[in-house]
Amino acid sequence: MRDFVMPALGADMETGKVVQWLVRPGDRVKRGDVVAVVETHKGAIDVEIFLDGLIEDLAPPGTELPVGAVLAHVREEGTAAAGAGSLVPARPRASPAARQRAQALGLDIDQLHGTGDEGAVTLADVERAAATPAAAPAAAAAPPRFDPSSMRRAIAVAMGRSKREIPHYYLTRAIDCGAAVAWLDAYNREHAPADRLLAAALLLKAAALALREVPQLNGFYEHEAFRPGAGIHPGWAIALRGGGLVAPAIHDADRASLPALMAAMRELVERARTGRLRSSEIADPTVTVTSLGERGADAVLGVIYPPQVAIVGFGRIVPRPWVVDGRLEARPVLAATLAADHRASDGHVGGLLLAAIDRALQDPPALAGAQP
C-alpha cells in the first residue's frame, strides 16, 4: 500500500481542498491519470496520480489538507495487505453466494472491496456496493470560486521570500530581431489565421534551445545545491482575468516544433483562465519565461520563483537605432533580460544564455527546424 499525497503545486502553496474525485474506491489507476480536482489559490487543479494500482481510502470532498497529507492509498495490483504490513499474492476471493448476487446485480466482483477473511468479498459487501450510489458526474460538481485576493497574498508571500532569500543578479541584452520578424511575416502570409504564429512562440523556442546549451540555469536550488531539471520545461507566465498570475510548464519545449509550441501555448492560456490546469504543469516548471511586449513593456526584470534559479524576460519588439555595417539604421530590437540566482550561477553563465538566445533568433529557419 502506498500513499497518494497532496502535491506541492508551487512554492506558494500550503494547503489544498479536495473538490471532487474522478475515481471511486477500488478503481484501477495508472501513472498520469487525472483522479481528482483540488482547489488552491490558483484555481481548480486537475491532479494527476503517479502510482499504479487500485485506489482506496479517498479523502472526503470538501476536506482541506496541507501539502504532503495523504489524499488516498494505492494498493499495487496482485498484492494484498496481510499481517503487519507484509504482502502476499492476491486473487480476488468471494463466497459462491456473493458471486451469484454480484452477477445478478451486474457488478464486477473483481472491483469490489472485500471485508471478509484475507479480503474476501462477502454477500454483505455485494449488497453494500449495490446500495452505494454511483459517483456524481463531473458536471454536477460546483465549480470552485477563484479568489484573486487569495492568489495575490500567495504571490506576495512567494515573491517576498524570493527577494529575501535569493541573491538575484540581472543581465540585459538588446537583440536585433530583423531576421526573426521577416521570417515570421513570410510564414504567416502562407498560413491561415488559425495556423499563424506569434512572436512569443519564437521567443519561447529560442529560450528553450538556449537552456539546452546552458543547462546551469534550468533546474532548482534545493538543500544548498543546484539540481538540474530532468527536461527543459519552461513555465510560461500567464496573466489571469480578474488578477493574478500563473506560470505552468510547457514540457520539453526545446523539442517541440513551432506550430506545436504555439498550439500548446494557446491551449495552456485557455485552460489557465478557465481554472483547469493539471498538477504536473504547476509542479515542475524548471525555469520561468515571461513576455510583456504585447502589454507594452519595453523590458521586464523578473523575480525568481523558488526553487527555480532563473527567469527570462522579453519586452516588446520596437524600432531602434542600430549600426549595420557601419551604417545607422532603424531595426526591430528586443530587450531580453535574465534574473538568476547567484548561488547557482554567475554573470558569465547568464551572459552565455542571453547570447545563445540571440544566436537562435538570428537564424529562424534553423530555430523552426531544430531537432531533439
Side-chain angles (χ1 to χ4, degrees), residues 17 35 177 226 241 309-310 338 369:
K17 181 187 291 184
V35 298
C177 289
F226 174 71
R241 298 187 180 100
V309 299
L338 172 73

Side-chain angles (χ1 to χ4, degrees), residues 193-215:
D195 299 324
R196 291 173 183 168
L197 302 175
L198 297 177
L202 275 71
L203 300 180
L204 182 58
K205 182 65 178 288
L209 291 177
L211 287 162
R212 188 191 288 180
E213 288 187 37
V214 189

Side-chain angles (χ1 to χ4, degrees), residues 27-35 48-53:
D27 282 355
R28 289 182 175 88
V29 295
K30 63 182 185 299
R31 183 181 180 88
D33 286 348
V34 176
V35 298
E48 298 150 287
I49 198 164
F50 295 94
L51 300 169
D52 297 338

Side-chain angles (χ1 to χ4, degrees), residues 23 27 39 113 122 146 158 162 210 276 289 317 321:
V23 293
D27 282 355
E39 181 182 2
H113 178 68
T122 66
F146 171 63
S162 174
R276 296 315 299 250
V289 178
I317 300 174

Side-chain angles (χ1 to χ4, degrees), residues 165-241:
E165 298 180 4
I166 299 177
H168 288 59
Y169 70 85
Y170 301 94
L171 301 175
T172 302
R173 184 179 180 109
I175 298 176
D176 179 359
C177 289
V181 169
W183 182 91
L184 187 63
D185 288 345
Y187 180 95
N188 286 339
R189 281 196 299 270
E190 297 174 0
H191 291 80
D195 299 324
R196 291 173 183 168
L197 302 175
L198 297 177
L202 275 71
L203 300 180
L204 182 58
K205 182 65 178 288
L209 291 177
L211 287 162
R212 188 191 288 180
E213 288 187 37
V214 189
Q216 300 96 315
L217 295 171
N218 184 69
F220 313 96
Y221 191 82
E222 297 173 318
H223 310 298
E224 304 299 322
F226 174 71
R227 175 171 65 86
I232 297 175
H233 311 318
W236 181 248
I238 300 170
L240 301 179
R241 298 187 180 100

